[in-house]
Amino acid sequence: QVQLVESGGGLVQAGGSLRISCAASRSIFSFSVMGWYRQAPGKQRELVARITDGGSTDYADSVKGRFTISRDNAKNMVYLQMNSLKPEDTAVYYCNAVDYYSRSAWGQGTQVTVSS
C-alpha cells in the first residue's frame, strides 16, 4: 500500500551537487529504516546510505564524506544530498523503506547522470 516516489534526478557535471528526494504516502514513522540504493548498468544494486528511526546513519565507503542522508518527518520525506559528484556515481537511485514487520518497499527510481 505504501508508495515511495523519488524526484530530483538529472544531469550534473563532475564536482557538482544534487539533492534527490523520496516522498512517502504515509508517515515515515511507519518505517524502521529508510535508505537509498543505486544501480549502474551492468552492476549489482548497492546500498548508498540509510537512516534509522533513531536517526543513525550509515554510508557506503565510496560516498562517505560526500553524501548526506536526512529526513523531514513533518513532510514525510527523505533526502540524499550529493556533493562532489563523480562520473562513477551515475546510476538509477532507488528509495527503500522497511517497516516494523520487516516488509520492504521500493520507489520507481530516479536517474542521476554525472558527466565529466
Side-chain angles (χ1 to χ4, degrees):
Q1 287 180 294
V2 65
Q3 291 180 292
L4 303 174
V5 181
E6 302 95 334
S7 62
L11 176 64
V12 64
Q13 291 185 318
S17 297
L18 198 65
R19 188 178 77 162
I20 55 176
S21 303
C22 174
S25 62
R26 67 183 184 209
S27 174
I28 59 175
F29 286 116
S30 301
F31 308 110
S32 61
V33 184
M34 298 193 73
W36 289 96
Y37 289 73
R38 68 186 182 187
Q39 187 165 24
K43 294 186 177 181
Q44 179 87 311
R45 181 184 58 182
E46 64 175 349
L47 175 67
V48 178
R50 61 187 179 189
I51 185 166
T52 71
D53 53 357
S56 298
T57 58
D58 191 37
Y59 299 91
D61 287 342
S62 60
V63 308
K64 193 171 296 183
R66 300 188 296 121
F67 291 11
T68 303
I69 187 170
S70 62
R71 67 187 183 203
D72 188 330
N73 294 336
K75 296 181 179 179
N76 294 340
M77 297 191 74
V78 176
Y79 306 97
L80 185 67
Q81 178 67 47
M82 301 180 288
N83 298 327
S84 302
L85 283 161
K86 304 174 181 179
E88 51 262 44
D89 294 319
T90 296
V92 177
Y93 284 71
Y94 297 93
C95 183
N96 172 253
V98 180
D99 68 14
Y100 292 97
Y101 298 94
S102 296
R103 295 177 299 198
S104 184
W106 295 90
Q108 82 288 347
T110 187
Q111 176 71 46
V112 173
T113 303
V114 184
S115 63
S116 60

